[in-house]
Every structure is written in structure tokens, then in C-alpha cells.
Amino acid sequence: MGKFVIKETKTGIKFDLKAGNGEVIATSEVYTTEAACKNGIQSVITNAAIAAVEDQTKEGYATEKNPKFEIYTDKAGEFRFRLKAKNGQIIAVSEGYKAMASCVNGIESVKKNSADATIVKAEA
């Protein structure tokens, strides 16, 4: 079972979604309040389950409606995904993956682990 870990940063509050093995599979933007951060978590739980996958690495890819996971290539040539909510706002992003298959597995992991994840605060 996954868990959302809320932690304070120098500029606000963010969350990491961790898989059962403790690996971080998605990270949020930095929020100004804990309430906003928890709303972001709720948005990931709601949207990840129903989000389509849009592979932007393919030429002439089909544009999906939000909510969606967008797979793209970063400046280093690694595969990444971002989860967009119904309103088009990015609510979670991944780390870079060397292989497309790993990126796709990351999306599946977010869908699976966010559904029944617990919410905890990081130890200060």
C-alpha cells in the first residue's frame, strides 16, 4: 500500500507519493498551506484512477482529455510523466526514467498506490 508523505520545504509544503517499497513515484508542486497540499492529494487520488495516458513521445500522438498522464522526454532524454487534473493543472510529476517501460510502470504504480494510500507527515 502506498502513502502520501507531506513535508515542509523552505518555500511551503509538498507531498511525495511513495509505493509500498518506499520508492517515491510522484511528487507535487509546493503549496502555501497544508490544506492546499491535502486538496492536491485528494485531486491525485480522484484523477489518477480515471486518467488516460497521452504519449507525447510519439509523433502525431492523440491528444487526450484531462485528467490525463502525459508522458514526455526531458532535456536529458529521460522519460517522465505528469498528472494533470480535470482543469489542466499539473498535480503530480515523476522522476526521470531511462526506459519508456519504467515510466509506464510508474504511472500504473501511481494509479494503484494512490487509491488506498495513507497520508502521513514527514518527520522533521
Side-chain angles (χ1 to χ4, degrees):
M1 179 162 70
K3 65 181 173 187
F4 287 97
V5 180
I6 296 175
K7 58 185 178 188
E8 291 192 30
T9 68
K10 288 185 177 77
T11 55
I13 299 175
K14 65 175 235 161
F15 66 80
D16 288 329
L17 172 58
K18 293 188 175 186
N21 64 2
E23 286 285 310
V24 174
I25 49 178
T27 302
S28 74
E29 65 179 340
V30 176
Y31 296 94
T32 51
T33 65
E34 187 175 322
C37 186
K38 286 183 175 173
N39 285 343
I41 290 171
Q42 200 53 54
S43 186
V44 169
I45 293 167
T46 303
N47 289 291
I50 57 171
V53 177
E54 180 178 290
D55 184 355
Q56 298 180 351
T57 65
K58 289 184 180 154
E59 207 170 309
Y61 63 86
T63 304
E64 300 288 344
K65 280 192 181 132
N66 291 327
K68 64 184 172 183
F69 285 96
E70 294 177 339
I71 298 175
Y72 64 100
T73 320
D74 66 14
K75 288 185 184 95
E78 292 188 326
F79 297 99
R80 292 179 177 266
F81 66 80
R82 56 187 159 236
L83 174 58
K84 286 189 168 181
K86 283 190 180 108
N87 64 4
Q89 195 169 0
I90 296 171
I91 50 177
V93 297
S94 73
E95 63 184 6
Y97 295 97
K98 299 243 182 285
M100 170 63 95
S102 301
C103 187
V104 171
N105 287 344
I107 290 171
E108 289 307 313
S109 189
V110 168
K111 287 183 174 204
K112 189 176 80 183
N113 286 288
S114 64
D116 58 359
T118 55
I119 300 172
V120 298
K121 282 190 176 173
E123 303 298 315

